[in-house]
Amino acid sequence: MKDPVLDILKTTYEASELTRALHALLQVGTTDKKVLASEAERLLSHSLAKALIDQINDTKDVQIYLKTLLASMNKLEVIHLGLAFEPSGDLVEKLSLWIDKNLGEAVVIDFELKPQLIGGASISYKGRYGDYSLSKKIDEYLEIKRQEKFGNKNKIR
Amino acid sequence: MKFDDYLKKTGEVGYVVRSLQSLAYVEGLPGAKSSELIIFEDGNMGRVIGLYEEEVEILLLTAEVVGVGTKTVRVGGRLEVGVGEALLGKSIDPLVRDYLTGNPIKTQQNRPNDITPMGISGRVNITKPFETGVSWVDLIVPLGRGQRELVIGDRKIGKTDFLLQVMLTAAKRGEICVYAAIAKNKQDVKEAQEFIADNDITKNTILVVTTASSPAGLIFLAPYTAMTIAEYFRDGGKDVLLILDDMTAHAKYYREIMLLAKHFPGRSSYPGDIFYVQSRLLERAGNFSKGSITALPVAELIMSDMSGYIQTNLMAITDGHILFDTDYYNEGRRPAINPFLSVSRVGHQTQSVLMRDVSREATSFLVKLSEVRQYMHFGAELSESTRRILALGEQVMIFFEQTPQSSIPLPINVVMFAGIWAGLWKDKKPSDLKTHLANLVTLYQSDKNFFQLVEELVSGKKTLSELVNAIKQNSEKLMEHKQ
C-alpha cells in the first residue's frame, strides 16, 4: 500500500525536499513526536508537512517509520517531462493525477524547460524516450515538403 | 550525428546515477548491449562494459568528471575509429584526435575498434623474412613478415631503442609503421617523435599516444586503435609494422578498471578474461593474402622474472620472444639481447638457405664460446684452439654491438660476419675492427660499386663456407675500403 506522504509528492523537487527533511529528522535522533512535528513544519511545505505529521502521530515507532519512508524514496520512479514552458500548479496537479491513474506506481515528475520544443512535450520513462513535440512535427512536415519539391537533392543534414 | 539525433534514432535515454573514476553507472538504456558506444549529453563518450538489472556500467573515455544526472544515449553500434592516409605522420589519441590539441582528424573511413580476428581462410603462410636492421635479430633470432614477436625485458634496458631501430629499417623500406605508446611518459613520447622526425620517416609512421595521465579507458583502447589502423593499410595491400609498447601496462590498467568495477579478481588480481582481451588483439596480426601485420608487443619484466602472469600469457600468445638480459646490459652489451633465451618460432622458415646456415653456425659458435668462457673461470691454462675461439668470439661480439640509431642491411651484415669468420681482421685491434665495420656499412649504403660487390658475394651461395671462400678470394677488394 502506498504511503500517503508519497501520494502527495508530484515532482522531483518535492521528493528531494522530503529526502532532505527525512535525513534531518533522523539526525535529530529523538522520538518525541512534538519535536519532530515542529521540525517537519520548519523544513517542508504545508501539505507535505501535514501529511508527514499525520503519519508520525499514527505510527508507534517513529524512527523505523522515517527510515522505511526514506528507503521508499529511493525506489521512486522518475518520469522526465520536457516542456516548452513552465507548467502552472494546476497543470502539474493534472499531470500527476493522470500518472497516478495510468501508471499506478510511485512516480514523480522531473520537469525540464526546453523552449526548442515549441509545443508538446518530450517524455522519458524507464529508459524509453519519446519526442511528441511541435518542433518534431514541423521538421517532419518541412521534410515532406522538401522531398516533394527537390527529391533527395539539397537535403539539409 | 549529435546527441539529440541518437536520442530520436534509438528512442532510449539513460541518466547517470553513480560516477567513479573511469566508470559511470547509468539507469535506463534498456536496449544497451555489451561493448556498445555511449554518448553523454556533454559530448563525452563511453563504452558499455557491464549490464545489470538496474544499471548499465560504462567505461569512460574521458578524463572529465561525469556528473550524476547527466543524460546518456546509446549509439546503436560499437566504437568506430577513423582510419586512412590522413593519419600518416600524425600523433593521435585512441579516438583519432590530435594528441596535443584534441581536435578530431578527418579520415577516409571508420572501422570498428574491436573485431573478431580473421579466420584461416584469409591467412597465408609466413614465407618472407622481416629485416630489422639489428644484427642479433637478423642473424640469430630472425623474424618473418606477419610474425608476432614479443620484446621482453626489464625497464630501461633498451627495448624502446630497439623498437625504434626496427621502425627505422621498416619505414625506409616503405612499410607503414604504427607505434602505440601505452601509458608512456610524455618525455619518452617526445623522444620517439624526435627520432621519427630526425630520421625523416614521418610520412610512413603513425603514433597512437596515451600517457600515464590519460584516462584508463583510453589507455585500454590504444592498442585496439593501433591495430585497426594497421588493418586498414594491410587491406590496402601494404605490409605494416605494429609496435605495442607495452602490453604489461595495458594489462595493469585493465586490472585497475575491473577492480574498480568490482569484477571478481583472478590470479594476481587480474580479471579472468585478461588472456582473452590480449589474445584477441594480437590474433588480428599475421600474414594475409592482401598484406601483412608484423606485431612487436612489448612486455616488461620485474627483476628478470620470466614467470610472471602477463609475461607468460604474452609468450604463449606470440610466435616467439626477444629477451633483453639485465646481466648483458650491465656488462655493457648493446643491444642487450640474450640469444640463448630468445626464440623465433616462425622466422627460420623464411630465411634463405645461406642465412639458415649462417644462423646455425653463429648460434652453435655462441654456445661454444659461452662454454669456453665458463671454463676460463677455473684458471687452467688455455689450449691453442681455446685461445682461437676466444679471439674469434671477441670479434664476433664486436660485430654484434650496435648503436641505437643504426640500422644495418642484411647483405652487408652477412658479409661482415663471414669476413670475421674468414679471418680478415685476425689480430686487428678491437677499435680498428669497430671502425672498419662501421665504414663498410656506410660504404654499402653510399657506394654503388661496393653495393654491387656485396650483392654478388652473397647471391647464389648456399652455405657459410661458400661465402667465406668467396670473401677470401675478394679480400683485397673488401679490405681496400678500410678508410
Side-chain angles (χ1 to χ4, degrees), chain B residues 35-246:
Chain B
S35 302
E36 191 169 6
L37 181 65
I38 302 294
I39 294 184
F40 297 85
E41 65 178 323
D42 52 8
N44 288 316
M45 288 194 272
R47 187 179 180 230
V48 176
I49 60 166
L51 295 165
Y52 302 102
E53 207 180 316
E54 301 285 340
E55 292 171 337
V56 176
E57 189 174 54
I58 293 171
L59 173 65
L60 296 174
L61 302 179
T62 173
E64 290 173 30
V65 174
V66 171
V68 170
T70 307
K71 270 194 239 178
T72 65
V73 72
R74 63 183 190 87
V75 159
R78 293 186 169 205
L79 173 66
E80 290 189 348
V81 292
V83 292
E85 271 80 10
L87 298 179
L88 289 168
K90 302 250 186 345
S91 298
I92 59 173
D93 75 359
L95 297 177
V96 191
R97 301 175 297 203
D98 186 271
Y99 154 62
L100 287 171
T101 62
N103 296 330
I105 296 174
K106 241 181 171 180
T107 50
Q108 275 102 318
Q109 56 173 265
N110 290 339
R111 284 191 172 207
N113 212 14
D114 189 0
I115 59 169
T116 307
M118 195 188 287
I120 201 157
S121 56
R123 296 180 188 257
V124 294
N125 279 350
I126 294 174
T127 51
K128 290 184 194 161
F130 181 86
E131 199 181 309
T132 62
V134 178
S135 310
W136 272 119
V137 176
D138 290 340
L139 263 54
I140 308 294
V141 195
L143 305 185
R145 209 166 282 225
Q147 185 173 351
R148 297 148 315 148
E149 183 84 354
L150 181 67
V151 177
I152 189 166
D154 280 33
R155 57 188 298 275
K156 299 290 177 201
I157 207 172
K159 300 190 295 297
T160 305
D161 286 337
F162 165 74
L163 292 167
L164 292 176
Q165 253 175 311
V166 176
M167 201 156 80
L168 175 65
T169 310
K172 290 211 152 134
R173 269 204 305 268
E175 291 177 20
I176 303 294
C177 303
V178 182
Y179 180 92
I182 304 169
K184 304 296 280 183
N185 292 333
K186 286 182 182 175
Q187 179 61 30
D188 293 340
V189 171
K190 187 95 177 77
E191 281 171 8
Q193 287 173 327
E194 281 169 2
F195 177 88
I196 289 166
D198 291 345
N199 287 284
D200 197 28
I201 53 171
T202 316
K203 61 182 187 316
N204 277 16
T205 314
I206 299 166
L207 257 60
V208 179
V209 179
T210 49
T211 61
S213 55
S214 298
L218 286 186
I219 293 172
F220 174 72
L221 283 185
Y224 291 91
T225 299
M227 183 63 80
T228 307
I229 294 169
E231 284 170 337
Y232 167 79
F233 288 102
R234 174 207 65 192
D235 292 343
K238 300 258 168 59
D239 290 318
V240 184
L241 169 66
L242 173 67
I243 296 171
L244 304 172
D245 189 3
D246 68 83

Side-chain angles (χ1 to χ4, degrees), chain A residues 114-152:
Chain A
K114 286 178 165 179
Q116 65 268 27
L117 296 178
I118 305 173
S122 68
I123 306 171
S124 71
Y125 179 61
K126 287 190 176 178
R128 299 284 179 200
Y129 176 84
D131 187 349
Y132 306 101
S133 65
L134 183 57
S135 80
K136 187 185 172 191
K137 293 283 179 200
I138 293 171
D139 281 340
E140 284 170 359
Y141 174 77
L142 287 174
E143 185 57 32
I144 292 168
K145 287 294 169 194
R146 199 178 292 119
Q147 288 283 339
E148 281 172 10
K149 189 148 190 187
F150 299 109
N152 274 329

Side-chain angles (χ1 to χ4, degrees), chain B residues 360-405:
Chain B
R360 206 172 19 239
E361 289 282 353
T363 308
S364 67
F365 175 77
L366 288 169
V367 171
K368 208 184 301 183
L369 179 66
S370 165
E371 286 168 1
V372 162
R373 280 185 175 166
Q374 284 177 12
Y375 177 68
M376 271 172 64
H377 289 303
F378 291 110
E381 206 175 299
L382 302 170
S383 65
E384 185 57 39
S385 63
T386 307
R387 272 198 286 267
R388 265 204 304 274
I389 290 171
L390 288 171
L392 181 59
E394 197 186 338
Q395 292 199 331
V396 165
M397 297 316 289
I398 290 170
F399 162 77
F400 278 121
E401 265 180 34
Q402 207 169 331
T403 56
Q405 303 287 329

Side-chain angles (χ1 to χ4, degrees), chain B residues 283-351:
Chain B
E283 285 296 324
R284 288 162 67 180
N287 198 27
F288 304 87
S289 45
K290 295 176 197 174
S292 68
I293 300 174
T294 306
L296 297 179
V298 180
E300 198 176 280
L301 294 177
I302 310 291
M303 308 260 294
S304 306
D305 179 18
M306 286 178 70
S307 63
Y309 182 35
I310 301 303
Q311 291 81 355
T312 48
N313 275 0
L314 289 167
M315 281 195 270
I317 294 166
T318 50
D319 306 320
H321 56 267
I322 296 170
L323 174 69
F324 281 73
D325 195 303
T326 312
D327 293 334
Y328 285 17
Y329 184 83
N330 292 336
E331 282 172 20
R333 290 203 210 172
R334 302 286 186 275
I337 294 174
N338 186 327
F340 307 114
L341 295 178
S342 299
V343 172
S344 175
R345 294 186 236 269
V346 170
H348 291 287
Q349 74 196 34
T350 67
Q351 287 182 306

Side-chain angles (χ1 to χ4, degrees), chain A residues 80 112 124 127-129 131, chain B residues 7-8 11-13 15 30 71:
Chain A
H80 300 268
E112 198 181 334
S124 71
R128 299 284 179 200
Y129 176 84
D131 187 349
Chain B
L7 204 54
K8 286 172 190 167
E12 291 179 18
V13 71
Y15 292 86
K71 270 194 239 178

